[in-house]
Amino acid sequence: MYRSIANCAAAVLALSAVPATNAFWRLECSGSVGLARIDPLMDFGGLSGHIHTIKGGSAFTATSTADDLLKSKCQSCDVAQDKSAYWTPPLYFMADDGTMTLVPEKPPFKAYYELETGMTSDGKAQTVEAFPNGFQMISGTNTRRNTTLSGPDPDKFRGPFTDEDNEQREERATGFNCMNYAKPKQAEDALSRHSLPEKSWIDSNCPDGIRLELAFPSCWNGEMDGGEQHKSHVAFPNWIKAGDCPAGFDRRLPALMFETIVATDQFKEKNGKFVLGNGDPTGYGYHGDFIAAWDEGVLQQAVEQCTDMRGEMKLCGVFEFTDNPASCRLEDLPSELKDENTEGPMQGLPGHCEVQSGPEAATKCKGATGSSSGDKSRDKSAGKSVEKSIAKHEEGPAKGSISDSYSPPVEDAPAPVENKKAAAVVAESEDKGDDRGAPPPPVHAAPVTTSPPVADPAMKVHAGDVISTKVYTDGRVVHEDVVVMHEVTVTEPGVKAKRTPEAKAEHVKRHGHRHHHPMQHGVGGRRMR
């Protein structure tokens, strides 16, 4: 008994250091506007040395500014008021003979806007501000091929990383997680594995692909850009996305995070390895770029008003939505790139980018003809600081009512974690079983799950088929319910569903889609029902 009391006291003390729970939303992009060697940040005015998959506004070019992007004729993301640019290197399969083939994405790409708050270095509370238009940054290091970290993050109470510098925190801001919908208890926190697993391990353990994750710094010094590497104006808080900011970065931006699921399962049993489009087979060099370009005042209005904890943008009347964003394509592609093979099969990567495994830093791909925009005047606000006072925005036109498609989770669905601020009923843990996953790969590891595309209701479904998904949150934990064709359970709001013991085993297969939060299993082994 005394041991239990002591353990509870220790857990409460640990929880007192956990950052507060805050709202977020998921911006979904149904397709890419292009797959091209274009990078207006690192290769301004020329061709990029390596290829990128590009989401956002169609006016994206090698010299794009926010003003240019705002004139886009379409965008590949769901929200009509957002013409921002989001880009990362894609993943390729490299056969033993050197032949490269693009690994397809499993849409949608997701950009999370998380409204995490914290304290300044001198103890003042922070308020999240919207990205000003023209703001730009990079997370990750293209040439990195090694790590300073000792290994995968520990399972529980990750952070705060007070003794690590910003470069080490940046290394923690990448994730490579294994998709296995059949084993929801394998779920790990996002951003917990920082290298790309070996292909043999992926083949054996990830039947539904791999999820690439990248978090961006959210502590800000007020500058629009950060020099030639586009980083010096921002820093990571001590919990990577949440927590407190270092000295000199007292202002707080939304914690941006990219997620891309790739169909590595299409290459199962084929001899070869996976390589990022920048020639990186390790994953340590995974990186992403961002230029903010929202319709005037909309993002600040959303930061202030879209405070729902479920992450669904359609629950907030600030946002307007596009039709058929997956059909949007780049308006202008350089003539040198119009006939470039970007999907394969082909010998070598686009731009003849060399595969470099490290551990020494990689050299820049030889196909680059541009240079960093960090020393260029991109627009009238480039290189200038943004005043703390934000101009008062006008209210947008009245929106129609948004139907809330969320329904309460069905009782007893097996969830792997609990957050200290759960919004629903909690109950004591049931038997955890022993489907915690295969042993970690010899070099890299990354088990996590997330939901597949929703099946067309017109299609015939059979026992075992995934027929629908649903997303909701428990504090900073985002759950996605994957409903499998085994039974029908009708649940009215506020009424607990009842199931037979036989049905329970094949009920909703829930997994935790956990964003970098120290609580993985919760206190006392309790879980959400």
mmCIF file with all atom_site columns, all heavy atoms in Angstrom, residues 461-473:
data_model
loop_
_atom_site.group_PDB
_atom_site.id
_atom_site.type_symbol
_atom_site.label_atom_id
_atom_site.label_alt_id
_atom_site.label_comp_id
_atom_site.label_asym_id
_atom_site.label_entity_id
_atom_site.label_seq_id
_atom_site.pdbx_PDB_ins_code
_atom_site.Cartn_x
_atom_site.Cartn_y
_atom_site.Cartn_z
_atom_site.occupancy
_atom_site.B_iso_or_equiv
_atom_site.pdbx_formal_charge
_atom_site.auth_seq_id
_atom_site.auth_comp_id
_atom_site.auth_asym_id
_atom_site.auth_atom_id
_atom_site.pdbx_PDB_model_num
ATOM 1  N N   . VAL A 1 461 ? -18.616 -5.154  -48.810 1.00 0.00 ? 461 VAL A N   1
ATOM 2  C CA  . VAL A 1 461 ? -17.631 -5.366  -47.762 1.00 0.00 ? 461 VAL A CA  1
ATOM 3  C C   . VAL A 1 461 ? -17.791 -6.766  -47.194 1.00 0.00 ? 461 VAL A C   1
ATOM 4  O O   . VAL A 1 461 ? -18.875 -7.346  -47.211 1.00 0.00 ? 461 VAL A O   1
ATOM 5  C CB  . VAL A 1 461 ? -17.766 -4.317  -46.629 1.00 0.00 ? 461 VAL A CB  1
ATOM 6  C CG1 . VAL A 1 461 ? -17.390 -2.952  -47.141 1.00 0.00 ? 461 VAL A CG1 1
ATOM 7  C CG2 . VAL A 1 461 ? -19.180 -4.286  -46.068 1.00 0.00 ? 461 VAL A CG2 1
ATOM 8  N N   . HIS A 1 462 ? -16.704 -7.286  -46.704 1.00 0.00 ? 462 HIS A N   1
ATOM 9  C CA  . HIS A 1 462 ? -16.679 -8.637  -46.164 1.00 0.00 ? 462 HIS A CA  1
ATOM 10 C C   . HIS A 1 462 ? -16.088 -8.607  -44.770 1.00 0.00 ? 462 HIS A C   1
ATOM 11 O O   . HIS A 1 462 ? -15.484 -7.615  -44.354 1.00 0.00 ? 462 HIS A O   1
ATOM 12 C CB  . HIS A 1 462 ? -15.854 -9.548  -47.075 1.00 0.00 ? 462 HIS A CB  1
ATOM 13 C CG  . HIS A 1 462 ? -16.274 -9.485  -48.513 1.00 0.00 ? 462 HIS A CG  1
ATOM 14 N ND1 . HIS A 1 462 ? -17.369 -10.148 -48.996 1.00 0.00 ? 462 HIS A ND1 1
ATOM 15 C CD2 . HIS A 1 462 ? -15.734 -8.798  -49.565 1.00 0.00 ? 462 HIS A CD2 1
ATOM 16 C CE1 . HIS A 1 462 ? -17.494 -9.912  -50.293 1.00 0.00 ? 462 HIS A CE1 1
ATOM 17 N NE2 . HIS A 1 462 ? -16.519 -9.089  -50.666 1.00 0.00 ? 462 HIS A NE2 1
ATOM 18 N N   . ALA A 1 463 ? -16.233 -9.684  -44.052 1.00 0.00 ? 463 ALA A N   1
ATOM 19 C CA  . ALA A 1 463 ? -15.681 -9.776  -42.704 1.00 0.00 ? 463 ALA A CA  1
ATOM 20 C C   . ALA A 1 463 ? -14.196 -9.460  -42.730 1.00 0.00 ? 463 ALA A C   1
ATOM 21 O O   . ALA A 1 463 ? -13.449 -9.999  -43.537 1.00 0.00 ? 463 ALA A O   1
ATOM 22 C CB  . ALA A 1 463 ? -15.922 -11.172 -42.127 1.00 0.00 ? 463 ALA A CB  1
ATOM 23 N N   . GLY A 1 464 ? -13.791 -8.574  -41.846 1.00 0.00 ? 464 GLY A N   1
ATOM 24 C CA  . GLY A 1 464 ? -12.392 -8.178  -41.769 1.00 0.00 ? 464 GLY A CA  1
ATOM 25 C C   . GLY A 1 464 ? -12.067 -6.920  -42.530 1.00 0.00 ? 464 GLY A C   1
ATOM 26 O O   . GLY A 1 464 ? -11.001 -6.343  -42.360 1.00 0.00 ? 464 GLY A O   1
ATOM 27 N N   . ASP A 1 465 ? -12.974 -6.452  -43.407 1.00 0.00 ? 465 ASP A N   1
ATOM 28 C CA  . ASP A 1 465 ? -12.715 -5.235  -44.181 1.00 0.00 ? 465 ASP A CA  1
ATOM 29 C C   . ASP A 1 465 ? -12.826 -3.994  -43.307 1.00 0.00 ? 465 ASP A C   1
ATOM 30 O O   . ASP A 1 465 ? -13.669 -3.916  -42.408 1.00 0.00 ? 465 ASP A O   1
ATOM 31 C CB  . ASP A 1 465 ? -13.723 -5.099  -45.326 1.00 0.00 ? 465 ASP A CB  1
ATOM 32 C CG  . ASP A 1 465 ? -13.473 -6.107  -46.440 1.00 0.00 ? 465 ASP A CG  1
ATOM 33 O OD1 . ASP A 1 465 ? -12.442 -6.800  -46.366 1.00 0.00 ? 465 ASP A OD1 1
ATOM 34 O OD2 . ASP A 1 465 ? -14.306 -6.182  -47.352 1.00 0.00 ? 465 ASP A OD2 1
ATOM 35 N N   . VAL A 1 466 ? -11.968 -3.006  -43.588 1.00 0.00 ? 466 VAL A N   1
ATOM 36 C CA  . VAL A 1 466 ? -12.089 -1.701  -42.951 1.00 0.00 ? 466 VAL A CA  1
ATOM 37 C C   . VAL A 1 466 ? -13.177 -0.926  -43.678 1.00 0.00 ? 466 VAL A C   1
ATOM 38 O O   . VAL A 1 466 ? -13.118 -0.741  -44.895 1.00 0.00 ? 466 VAL A O   1
ATOM 39 C CB  . VAL A 1 466 ? -10.763 -0.924  -43.022 1.00 0.00 ? 466 VAL A CB  1
ATOM 40 C CG1 . VAL A 1 466 ? -10.940 0.488   -42.487 1.00 0.00 ? 466 VAL A CG1 1
ATOM 41 C CG2 . VAL A 1 466 ? -9.698  -1.652  -42.206 1.00 0.00 ? 466 VAL A CG2 1
ATOM 42 N N   . ILE A 1 467 ? -14.223 -0.465  -42.963 1.00 0.00 ? 467 ILE A N   1
ATOM 43 C CA  . ILE A 1 467 ? -15.333 0.192   -43.632 1.00 0.00 ? 467 ILE A CA  1
ATOM 44 C C   . ILE A 1 467 ? -15.452 1.666   -43.293 1.00 0.00 ? 467 ILE A C   1
ATOM 45 O O   . ILE A 1 467 ? -16.112 2.408   -44.006 1.00 0.00 ? 467 ILE A O   1
ATOM 46 C CB  . ILE A 1 467 ? -16.663 -0.528  -43.329 1.00 0.00 ? 467 ILE A CB  1
ATOM 47 C CG1 . ILE A 1 467 ? -16.920 -0.569  -41.819 1.00 0.00 ? 467 ILE A CG1 1
ATOM 48 C CG2 . ILE A 1 467 ? -16.661 -1.919  -43.920 1.00 0.00 ? 467 ILE A CG2 1
ATOM 49 C CD1 . ILE A 1 467 ? -18.287 -1.131  -41.466 1.00 0.00 ? 467 ILE A CD1 1
ATOM 50 N N   . SER A 1 468 ? -14.834 2.122   -42.210 1.00 0.00 ? 468 SER A N   1
ATOM 51 C CA  . SER A 1 468 ? -14.881 3.558   -41.916 1.00 0.00 ? 468 SER A CA  1
ATOM 52 C C   . SER A 1 468 ? -13.847 3.908   -40.864 1.00 0.00 ? 468 SER A C   1
ATOM 53 O O   . SER A 1 468 ? -13.305 3.030   -40.187 1.00 0.00 ? 468 SER A O   1
ATOM 54 C CB  . SER A 1 468 ? -16.275 3.984   -41.425 1.00 0.00 ? 468 SER A CB  1
ATOM 55 O OG  . SER A 1 468 ? -16.539 3.435   -40.145 1.00 0.00 ? 468 SER A OG  1
ATOM 56 N N   . THR A 1 469 ? -13.579 5.205   -40.749 1.00 0.00 ? 469 THR A N   1
ATOM 57 C CA  . THR A 1 469 ? -12.674 5.697   -39.717 1.00 0.00 ? 469 THR A CA  1
ATOM 58 C C   . THR A 1 469 ? -13.290 6.913   -39.065 1.00 0.00 ? 469 THR A C   1
ATOM 59 O O   . THR A 1 469 ? -14.182 7.553   -39.626 1.00 0.00 ? 469 THR A O   1
ATOM 60 C CB  . THR A 1 469 ? -11.309 6.096   -40.299 1.00 0.00 ? 469 THR A CB  1
ATOM 61 O OG1 . THR A 1 469 ? -11.499 7.156   -41.227 1.00 0.00 ? 469 THR A OG1 1
ATOM 62 C CG2 . THR A 1 469 ? -10.629 4.929   -40.973 1.00 0.00 ? 469 THR A CG2 1
ATOM 63 N N   . LYS A 1 470 ? -12.832 7.253   -37.870 1.00 0.00 ? 470 LYS A N   1
ATOM 64 C CA  . LYS A 1 470 ? -13.279 8.463   -37.191 1.00 0.00 ? 470 LYS A CA  1
ATOM 65 C C   . LYS A 1 470 ? -12.147 8.971   -36.328 1.00 0.00 ? 470 LYS A C   1
ATOM 66 O O   . LYS A 1 470 ? -11.387 8.196   -35.782 1.00 0.00 ? 470 LYS A O   1
ATOM 67 C CB  . LYS A 1 470 ? -14.523 8.202   -36.338 1.00 0.00 ? 470 LYS A CB  1
ATOM 68 C CG  . LYS A 1 470 ? -15.124 9.486   -35.769 1.00 0.00 ? 470 LYS A CG  1
ATOM 69 C CD  . LYS A 1 470 ? -16.440 9.209   -35.091 1.00 0.00 ? 470 LYS A CD  1
ATOM 70 C CE  . LYS A 1 470 ? -17.484 8.765   -36.072 1.00 0.00 ? 470 LYS A CE  1
ATOM 71 N NZ  . LYS A 1 470 ? -17.834 9.827   -37.028 1.00 0.00 ? 470 LYS A NZ  1
ATOM 72 N N   . VAL A 1 471 ? -12.042 10.280  -36.209 1.00 0.00 ? 471 VAL A N   1
ATOM 73 C CA  . VAL A 1 471 ? -10.964 10.906  -35.447 1.00 0.00 ? 471 VAL A CA  1
ATOM 74 C C   . VAL A 1 471 ? -11.555 11.669  -34.273 1.00 0.00 ? 471 VAL A C   1
ATOM 75 O O   . VAL A 1 471 ? -12.558 12.368  -34.414 1.00 0.00 ? 471 VAL A O   1
ATOM 76 C CB  . VAL A 1 471 ? -10.164 11.885  -36.331 1.00 0.00 ? 471 VAL A CB  1
ATOM 77 C CG1 . VAL A 1 471 ? -9.055  12.541  -35.527 1.00 0.00 ? 471 VAL A CG1 1
ATOM 78 C CG2 . VAL A 1 471 ? -9.591  11.164  -37.530 1.00 0.00 ? 471 VAL A CG2 1
ATOM 79 N N   . TYR A 1 472 ? -10.961 11.529  -33.097 1.00 0.00 ? 472 TYR A N   1
ATOM 80 C CA  . TYR A 1 472 ? -11.306 12.354  -31.952 1.00 0.00 ? 472 TYR A CA  1
ATOM 81 C C   . TYR A 1 472 ? -10.087 12.425  -31.055 1.00 0.00 ? 472 TYR A C   1
ATOM 82 O O   . TYR A 1 472 ? -9.088  11.771  -31.296 1.00 0.00 ? 472 TYR A O   1
ATOM 83 C CB  . TYR A 1 472 ? -12.510 11.780  -31.183 1.00 0.00 ? 472 TYR A CB  1
ATOM 84 C CG  . TYR A 1 472 ? -12.246 10.446  -30.562 1.00 0.00 ? 472 TYR A CG  1
ATOM 85 C CD1 . TYR A 1 472 ? -11.832 10.345  -29.243 1.00 0.00 ? 472 TYR A CD1 1
ATOM 86 C CD2 . TYR A 1 472 ? -12.364 9.279   -31.314 1.00 0.00 ? 472 TYR A CD2 1
ATOM 87 C CE1 . TYR A 1 472 ? -11.563 9.116   -28.689 1.00 0.00 ? 472 TYR A CE1 1
ATOM 88 C CE2 . TYR A 1 472 ? -12.099 8.058   -30.767 1.00 0.00 ? 472 TYR A CE2 1
ATOM 89 C CZ  . TYR A 1 472 ? -11.699 7.973   -29.441 1.00 0.00 ? 472 TYR A CZ  1
ATOM 90 O OH  . TYR A 1 472 ? -11.427 6.761   -28.886 1.00 0.00 ? 472 TYR A OH  1
ATOM 91 N N   . THR A 1 473 ? -10.148 13.249  -30.011 1.00 0.00 ? 473 THR A N   1
ATOM 92 C CA  . THR A 1 473 ? -8.981  13.398  -29.155 1.00 0.00 ? 473 THR A CA  1
ATOM 93 C C   . THR A 1 473 ? -9.306  13.171  -27.699 1.00 0.00 ? 473 THR A C   1
ATOM 94 O O   . THR A 1 473 ? -10.441 13.313  -27.257 1.00 0.00 ? 473 THR A O   1
ATOM 95 C CB  . THR A 1 473 ? -8.357  14.808  -29.270 1.00 0.00 ? 473 THR A CB  1
ATOM 96 O OG1 . THR A 1 473 ? -9.279  15.756  -28.739 1.00 0.00 ? 473 THR A OG1 1
ATOM 97 C CG2 . THR A 1 473 ? -8.024  15.143  -30.696 1.00 0.00 ? 473 THR A CG2 1
#
